[in-house]
Amino acid sequence: IILMLKCVWKGFAKSFIFLSARRYGKTQSPSLVFNYGLHSIPTFGSKTPTGGDAYYCNKEVLAIADGVSEWDEAGINVGLHSAGLCKNIEEIYTGEGKSVENNPKALLSHAVERTMSIVGASTCCIMMLNSIKKIIRAANIGDSGFLILRKEGFGLSSLLRSTDQWRELDIPLQVGTRGDDPEKADVYTTEIMENDIIILGTDGLWSNLYDKQIMDCIVPFIHGRDTILDPELVAEMIAQYAFNMSNESRNTPFKDKVLSYQVNWISGKPNDITVIVA
């Protein structure tokens, strides 16, 4: 309740600033770029603000990676691989952008190759915006992923959703040491419109919240308007909701998956959580 009141008040303040700026002519004409915000909640005891998660974002690319926890049992800092992977994604895109233009799988493959010197493995999802053709292309390997939403009336509809890739129960496809070929990444393409909403997250999000719960978090922030004014605030709210569900004996997507393997499970999945809202 406190978090919701905080979000509503901050959202109201943002709305007032936006309307005031528009009245005095301070807004710029809209362009088709990512306007994004993010929030991370590491698992208890993590030594870094994002735990084993990492990300890279700019106005044309959103990327997220999750260090696979099995390496932690071998004494490896799982965050090193995901951080190295995202750093290489950034360096390749900013330095050699033409070679991977509009090709997230190529960007992933090149970044994976450059990260092989780091012991560990990660899941990864990359989304690239083509503002001229108004399309988004994505490559996803493992159980990080994305959800694209569009406002319809007073609610939201799902435009496109990535699919988890598991080798077996709770062992996702992954890139890195003894990992999978990045060519196994699923590739997605969809047309996009101004004010469409993208949710990109590590499995700490998707394991603990259903899509409907995520949409319910967003709807109050687009009531009476077409765009989210503060995506970082929305990312924080969604991440906190996922964190709360991870520690409760409630139905969750992760519980559904585990039960499908005929294994008993009663709650969500405590995990690092990173959410990007764009």
Side-chain angles (χ1 to χ4, degrees):
I1 294 174
I2 293 174
L3 179 63
M4 177 65 79
L5 290 173
K6 172 186 172 184
C7 291
V8 170
W9 169 250
K10 288 177 72 175
F12 173 80
K14 288 280 184 178
S15 300
F16 178 78
I17 293 170
F18 175 78
L19 292 172
S20 298
R22 185 172 64 181
R23 176 176 295 177
Y24 292 102
K26 295 183 179 180
T27 57
Q28 298 177 349
S29 59
S31 57
L32 200 59
V33 297
F34 288 135
N35 175 31
Y36 61 88
L38 59 92
H39 192 78
S40 292
I41 302 177
T43 50
F44 179 76
S46 175
K47 297 180 181 179
T48 65
T50 59
D53 294 350
Y55 54 84
Y56 166 64
C57 302
N58 66 27
K59 292 182 177 181
E60 298 173 331
V61 176
L62 306 174
I64 200 164
D66 180 3
V68 178
S69 60
E70 282 72 19
W71 285 97
D72 187 53
E73 299 170 4
I76 303 297
N77 181 346
V78 299
L80 293 179
H81 188 274
S82 57
L85 182 61
C86 285
K87 182 172 179 57
N88 284 323
I89 290 171
E90 176 183 7
E91 290 180 352
I92 293 168
Y93 184 77
T94 57
E96 309 166 26
K98 289 295 182 182
S99 66
V100 295
E101 190 174 19
N102 301 318
N103 192 337
K105 181 181 277 191
L107 179 55
L108 173 64
S109 296
H110 291 329
V112 169
E113 183 177 354
R114 289 195 184 183
T115 315
M116 291 306 294
S117 61
I118 302 176
V119 177
S122 301
T123 66
C124 186
C125 185
I126 302 174
M127 307 187 77
M128 303 179 77
L129 172 65
N130 185 321
S131 59
I132 297 175
K133 295 183 178 180
K134 296 185 179 180
I135 60 173
I136 281 181
R137 291 189 173 95
N140 183 66
I141 189 161
D143 54 7
S144 293
F146 68 87
L147 173 66
I148 302 179
L149 304 170
R150 180 167 293 168
K151 184 178 181 183
E152 288 191 355
F154 295 105
L156 291 166
S157 63
S158 177
L159 186 64
L160 184 64
R161 172 73 149 84
S162 60
T163 302
D164 291 348
Q165 296 177 316
W166 276 11
R167 294 178 180 173
E168 54 186 277
L169 176 60
D170 202 26
I171 300 179
L173 266 62
Q174 53 202 262
V175 290
T177 309
R178 298 199 297 271
D180 299 284
D181 187 336
E183 285 297 315
K184 291 184 178 180
D186 289 334
V187 176
Y188 303 83
T189 302
T190 187
E191 294 182 352
I192 204 77
M193 292 174 56
E194 183 181 353
N195 295 324
D196 283 348
I197 299 167
I198 297 166
I199 310 298
L200 185 62
T202 54
D203 70 316
L205 169 64
W206 310 114
S207 293
N208 295 300
L209 291 183
Y210 296 101
D211 293 358
K212 176 64 164 55
Q213 293 171 312
I214 294 172
M215 288 189 273
D216 287 345
C217 285
I218 297 170
V219 166
F221 292 91
I222 57 171
H223 180 69
R225 63 176 65 90
D226 293 325
T227 188
I228 295 175
L229 300 180
D230 190 347
E232 184 173 349
L233 177 62
V234 180
E236 178 185 357
M237 184 173 178
I238 293 171
Q240 188 63 55
Y241 189 9
F243 174 79
N244 293 342
M245 291 296 292
S246 72
N247 294 288
E248 294 186 10
S249 297
R250 303 274 297 274
N251 290 333
T252 63
F254 184 74
K255 178 181 176 180
D256 294 344
K257 292 178 185 177
V258 173
L259 292 177
S260 72
Y261 282 81
Q262 285 76 52
V263 177
N264 289 328
W265 195 266
I266 63 171
S267 66
K269 179 187 178 183
N271 202 348
D272 300 322
I273 299 167
T274 297
V275 179
I276 299 172
V277 174

